């Protein structure tokens, strides 16, 4: 079965821009093997071009690395250094889609994620939230997307051994998007 525009209530082809006041880009990583540290990026942007065939749609997104926020200033400063994001040299994370597909009834968005000058293919699990017209007459669409990347694939190798065994940080990082976008007229 292939997803068609007719199967998506309110679907419209067009160019959409992200509404940062109603969107967020978050991440989580295993910490000390017992819990997870969560964070967010405060500054990001994306443009979505929905095609008549939803599977031909595209997305380009940027995230400002220096806007990382884990609710602890000292950790955020450390994340901006060469141990992690290397924000001075690589100020943005970028994502550019290469395709969309249906797999077992689920929508997947494939693309290239670039971090620290390293580009790797990733796949986001995509969940469409719907389309509405707001009180200002603007057409809005919502969706959620999630992927897991190995931070070491992007050269983020910092870690520290724990006295009782294991390491401070896990390798897998979950990236989650909760997005509302506005159709451009």
């Amino acid at each position: 079965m292939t997803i068609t525009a007719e199967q998506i209530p309110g679907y419209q082809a067009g160019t959409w821009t992200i509404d940062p006041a109603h969107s967020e880009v978050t991440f989580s990583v295993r910490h000390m093997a017992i819990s997870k540290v969560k964070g967010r990026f405060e500054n990001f942007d994306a443009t979505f071009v929905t095609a008549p065939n939803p599977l031909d749609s595209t997305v380009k997104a940027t995230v400002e690395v220096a806007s990382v926020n884990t609710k602890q200033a000292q950790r955020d400063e450390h994340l901006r250094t060469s141990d992690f994001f290397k924000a001075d040299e690589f100020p943005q994370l970028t994502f550019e889609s290469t395709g969309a597909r249906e797999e077992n009834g689920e929508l997947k968005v494939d693309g290239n994620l670039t971090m620290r000058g390293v580009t790797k293919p990733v796949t986001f699990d995509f969940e469409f939230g719907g389309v509405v017209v707001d009180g200002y007459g603007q057409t809005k669409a919502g969706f959620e997307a999630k992927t897991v990347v190995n931070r070491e694939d992007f050269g983020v190798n910092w870690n520290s051994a724990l006295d009782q065994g294991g390491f401070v940080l896990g390798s897998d990082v979950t990236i989650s998007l909760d997005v509302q976008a506005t159709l451009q007229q």
Side-chain angles (χ1 to χ4, degrees):
M1 178 179 151
T2 300
I3 294 175
T4 65
E6 293 78 27
Q7 295 169 308
I8 303 171
Y11 183 86
Q12 294 183 48
T15 299
W16 304 74
T17 57
I18 202 163
D19 177 353
H22 297 102
S23 302
E24 62 181 10
V25 176
T26 62
F27 63 90
S28 64
V29 63
R30 181 71 51 200
H31 184 249
M32 298 180 67
I34 60 169
S35 64
K36 290 185 179 178
V37 168
K38 297 179 180 183
R40 64 185 301 143
F41 293 98
E42 303 294 342
N43 300 321
F44 49 88
D45 193 24
T47 299
F48 311 89
V49 178
T50 50
N53 174 354
L55 297 179
D56 293 333
S57 299
T58 61
V59 60
K60 289 183 180 181
T62 58
V63 172
E64 299 299 326
V65 173
S67 73
V68 67
N69 181 354
T70 64
K71 298 183 181 178
Q72 186 183 49
Q74 184 178 3
R75 178 174 48 218
D76 295 345
E77 283 304 317
H78 189 201
L79 289 172
R80 293 179 186 106
T81 71
S82 61
D83 285 343
F84 292 96
F85 291 120
K86 217 173 193 181
D88 289 343
E89 190 174 342
F90 302 105
Q92 293 183 330
L93 305 177
T94 62
F95 176 79
E96 187 167 345
S97 64
T98 57
R101 59 192 162 85
E102 184 179 358
E103 185 178 290
N104 299 322
E106 302 291 327
L107 188 58
K108 309 285 185 179
V109 177
D110 300 314
N112 292 315
L113 176 66
T114 302
M115 177 171 46
R116 286 180 53 121
V118 176
T119 301
K120 296 284 182 181
V122 300
T123 298
F124 278 91
D125 296 326
F126 185 93
E127 183 179 329
F128 184 69
V131 176
V132 299
V133 176
D134 70 10
Y136 301 101
Q138 296 178 320
T139 301
K140 303 278 189 160
F143 69 87
E144 294 178 37
K146 184 181 288 189
T147 192
V148 177
V149 300
N150 183 319
R151 63 187 178 86
E152 294 162 356
D153 290 345
F154 295 90
V156 182
N157 300 311
W158 182 91
N159 221 332
S160 182
L162 297 170
D163 291 342
Q164 62 273 27
F167 292 92
V168 171
L169 292 178
S171 297
D172 289 342
V173 178
T174 301
I175 301 170
S176 301
L177 313 173
D178 193 350
V179 173
Q180 190 176 107
T182 306
L183 180 63
Q184 300 306 293
Q185 301 301 324

